[in-house]
Amino acid sequence: MTDHQRPGPVVTEENEFFWTAGADGRLRVAECGSCAALIHPPQPVCRYCRGHDIGVRAVSGHATLIGFTVNHRFALPGLPAPYVVAQVALEEDPRVRLTTNAVQCTPDELELGMRMEVVFEPVEDAWLPLFRPARDRPATDPLPLAEVDTRQLARRVRPMASTEKFEDKVAITGIGMSEIGRRLMVPPVSLTVQACERAIADAGLTVDDIDGLATYPGAGPFGGFGEGGVTALESALGLEPTWYNGGGETFGPGGSLISAMLAVAGGLARHVLCFRTVWEASYGELVRRGRIVQDPPRQLDGWMKPFGAISAAHTLAQNAQRHFHRYGTTRETLGWIALNQRANAGLNPTAVYRDPMTMDDYLGARPITTPFGLYDCDVPCDGAVAVIVSAVDAARDLAQPPVLVEAVGTQILERLEWDQSTLTHEPQVLGQSAHLWSRTALRPEDVDVAELYDGFTFNCLSWLEGLGFCGIGEAKDFLDGGKNIARDGVLPLNTHGGQLSHGRTHGMGLVHEAITQLRGAAGARQIPGARVAVASSGGLTPSGVILFRADG
């Protein structure tokens, strides 16, 4: 810590009891009066018994350390790097986890399962509950079990509501990609238009044929992660859609694709143009130049940011650490995923990073937040990707062979809050994967190529296990030094370079590559005979997955 005070949390009537509890040194958490469950974050109803008698309980302040990461990359005023972001499970109810900072110790002193105790730090009008190793320090305990047993997830998948599948009524008929690069310094809507015009031409359609639009996350202050949404594209091209959709509460571009499929299957549109644009690299450069002014944080919203957990990396790094702890996974395990993506990017002229990379390069890269280094993280870039969803009866008359949709996986079976969700995998992978396989007779062994979300290496590992390409905890053995995910391996993975080397296109680039492979149009990186491809999207929560197959 420094003498300069860090920003405090946003204190509201609903959370004041938590953020001001440190005034008398007692940690307080919401409690259900009907079943005595602790509820965090606080809600007006109990998620366990659905009771509405919610009160506040003072707890002991003791907890089990279930995760920690040493942050090297990010900083807040008054909280310079390095600092330790940690997660603890309360002793009274281990289902409740708090994101916090580990203090009054060095990272080397921390051990998963260690007993911790709360200490409070006053910040503005709040008291931050921080945790230090408990003074009595009993022997470490096993980590608490996840609330959702991974072995039981498939049994909780809802059966299909109808034997008629909406997937059978749609096809992918066009794809397009703008220029992809670092700091292109062009207006983001220009990238959107470029990708969309290319997708329309690829399908053999005209602009006037497009009667639907779908995007993620839509218009809003997303800081380089959006370009104005449906409104901006409609204004630029003068479209007259009969249906449109855009929003952030879906699993990234995959969610916008599925909403488009539902619109087509329901008869609202015939050809829906789906797109995703990022201009994160240029946005960051404009901030550095002072052309875009960001107000310094005065207060931080949520239950994680006040502790410096301001990136998805901080959550996933702790999930990765727990996977290491439980299953013997290593940094080298993640390294084989990064090296695979880089090798594939070397064959892709549109990839941002194409230079060869060795395991020594990977392990020696600067740390971001342990155990993640630079090459565990995807590449911020500028670019747009567009995909056209069409009615299947119109698809076979267009310019390209249609790619059919076999199944989707969307069901949420875990907690959505990042730090309350699954302990050892990327949240929202296991349930969605189980849901996918409930909607098809195909099995994991039928998949010829996998394009799996890799905002971080650990995302990709989680999908490999979640989708059943190997057992839970078996990714280290399955990778076999990277052999099984290579282009000539059992499961060719992220054949265009993935987000780790091709660029952070937030999942839509993965769909673009899956379609390219199933068309047999991937050139030097083409997987011979590829007929079935799976693509996932969504970093942390929510997430989803789509299974595609070639026509015929």
Side-chain angles (χ1 to χ4, degrees):
M1 306 298 173
T2 70
D3 293 335
H4 182 74
Q5 193 177 59
R6 62 208 260 185
V10 176
V11 179
T12 67
E13 289 186 7
E14 291 75 21
N15 65 31
E16 183 179 17
F17 73 88
F18 180 87
W19 290 121
T20 62
D24 65 0
R26 299 294 304 277
L27 183 65
R28 289 177 172 82
V29 182
E31 181 186 43
C32 175
S34 300
C35 69
L38 297 182
I39 309 297
H40 185 79
Q43 300 289 349
V45 62
C46 174
R47 67 178 290 112
Y48 302 107
C49 74
R50 310 288 164 79
H52 289 255
D53 180 17
I54 306 298
V56 175
R57 175 181 171 186
V59 295
S60 67
H62 285 99
T64 301
L65 181 67
I66 61 170
F68 65 93
T69 179
V70 183
N71 167 74
H72 293 270
R73 167 66 178 82
F74 305 93
L76 290 173
L79 190 62
Y83 56 85
V84 179
V85 175
Q87 292 177 1
V88 297
L90 297 186
E91 283 191 349
E92 287 83 355
D93 189 341
R95 294 175 298 186
V96 171
R97 299 92 175 257
L98 302 182
T99 293
T100 184
N101 298 124
V103 296
Q104 300 180 23
C105 62
T106 66
D108 290 342
E109 296 176 70
L110 296 174
E111 184 178 353
L112 294 187
M114 175 182 285
R115 194 175 194 230
M116 306 288 282
E117 62 186 14
V118 71
V119 292
F120 292 95
E121 178 181 326
V123 176
E124 298 178 353
D125 57 349
W127 295 75
L128 295 183
L130 312 180
F131 280 78
R132 67 187 179 195
R135 290 171 182 165
D136 52 0
R137 294 220 197 170
T140 55
D141 294 323
L143 296 188
L145 296 175
E147 188 174 333
V148 177
D149 186 343
T150 57
R151 296 166 296 182
Q152 304 299 321
L153 275 175
R155 299 180 185 178
R156 296 173 56 182
V157 172
R158 297 181 188 275
M160 288 177 56
S162 168
T163 56
E164 185 179 70
K165 290 170 53 181
F166 75 89
E167 294 100 324
D168 294 336
K169 299 179 180 181
V170 301
I172 307 300
T173 56
I175 55 175
M177 182 181 291
S178 75
E179 182 181 359
I180 303 287
R182 298 275 281 167
R183 303 179 188 89
L184 296 179
M185 307 308 288
V186 299
V189 177
S190 298
L191 299 172
T192 304
V193 169
Q194 187 180 57
C196 290
E197 288 180 337
R198 290 176 177 177
I200 293 168
D202 180 65
L205 296 168
T206 69
V207 171
D208 291 336
D209 291 319
I210 300 300
D211 55 1
L213 295 173
T215 190
Y216 163 91
F222 296 110
F225 285 89
E227 78 310 318
V230 166
T231 302
L233 183 62
E234 190 281 329
S235 180
L237 292 181
L239 299 167
E240 297 180 344
T242 59
W243 177 87
Y244 56 90
N245 182 66
E249 287 200 316
T250 186
F251 60 91
S256 68
L257 277 174
I258 290 180
S259 66
M261 294 173 193
L262 291 168
V264 170
L268 275 170
R270 295 282 283 171
H271 303 290
V272 179
L273 178 60
C274 307
F275 60 96
R276 175 73 176 105
T277 301
V278 292
W279 61 296
E280 188 182 3
S282 288
Y283 179 88
E285 179 63 24
L286 291 171
V287 169
R288 283 188 288 273
R289 294 182 187 179
R291 299 287 297 276
I292 296 176
V293 178
Q294 291 180 312
D295 292 332
R298 294 178 178 85
Q299 290 186 313
L300 297 170
D301 63 343
W303 301 94
M304 300 170 64
K305 290 180 183 178
F307 304 98
I310 57 177
S311 167
H314 294 125
T315 295
L316 283 172
Q318 293 180 84
N319 285 61
Q321 181 204 38
R322 288 186 285 261
H323 201 282
F324 287 17
H325 178 78
R326 280 203 172 147
Y327 304 122
T329 313
T330 65
R331 283 210 67 210
E332 286 82 356
T333 307
L334 300 182
W336 290 121
I337 294 173
L339 266 61
N340 176 76
Q341 265 73 315
R342 181 61 62 87
N344 292 339
L347 298 176
N348 187 351
T350 68
V352 174
Y353 290 148
R354 303 180 61 202
D355 293 337
M357 183 167 64
T358 67
M359 184 63 78
D360 286 342
D361 295 331
Y362 166 81
L363 295 173
R366 63 183 174 89
I368 300 300
T369 188
T370 58
F372 293 160
L374 179 64
Y375 298 125
D376 288 292
C377 310
D378 59 8
V379 184
C381 67
D382 300 338
V385 182
V387 176
I388 295 177
V389 176
S390 298
V392 72
D393 61 342
R396 293 185 175 91
D397 295 328
L398 299 182
Q400 299 288 350
V403 171
L404 306 181
V405 181
E406 174 66 23
V408 304
T410 60
Q411 187 173 352
I412 294 171
L413 289 175
E414 305 165 73
R415 291 285 295 270
L416 281 172
E417 303 92 347
W418 288 7
D419 58 351
Q420 306 301 313
S421 197
T422 182
L423 286 174
T424 55
H425 289 74
E426 174 197 345
Q428 308 307 318
V429 162
L430 303 176
Q432 283 80 349
S433 296
H435 185 220
L436 176 83
W437 297 122
S438 75
R439 297 183 63 82
T440 175
L442 297 180
R443 297 294 92 191
E445 55 269 24
D446 296 313
V447 174
D448 299 308
V449 60
E451 311 294 345
L452 303 180
Y453 193 85
D454 60 343
F456 301 90
T457 50
F458 186 69
N459 294 98
C460 214
L461 180 148
S462 297
W463 281 109
L464 285 170
E465 294 189 353
L467 284 166
F469 296 116
C470 60
I472 297 296
E474 296 178 1
K476 178 182 178 181
D477 291 336
F478 172 76
L479 290 176
D480 191 19
K483 297 175 185 177
N484 281 335
I485 56 173
R487 292 186 305 278
D488 59 353
V490 174
L491 183 72
L493 176 69
N494 291 11
T495 46
H496 67 313
Q499 300 191 147
L500 296 174
S501 286
H502 182 263
R504 181 189 293 168
T505 50
H506 267 199
M508 194 65 106
L510 298 164
V511 174
H512 186 285
E513 177 68 8
I515 304 308
T516 303
Q517 287 286 341
L518 295 184
R519 287 179 175 179
R525 64 183 189 277
Q526 178 64 45
I527 304 305
R531 303 290 298 169
V532 178
V534 65
S536 62
S537 71
L540 284 171
T541 58
S543 300
V545 59
I546 306 175
L547 191 66
F548 299 100
R549 59 183 172 87
D551 190 22

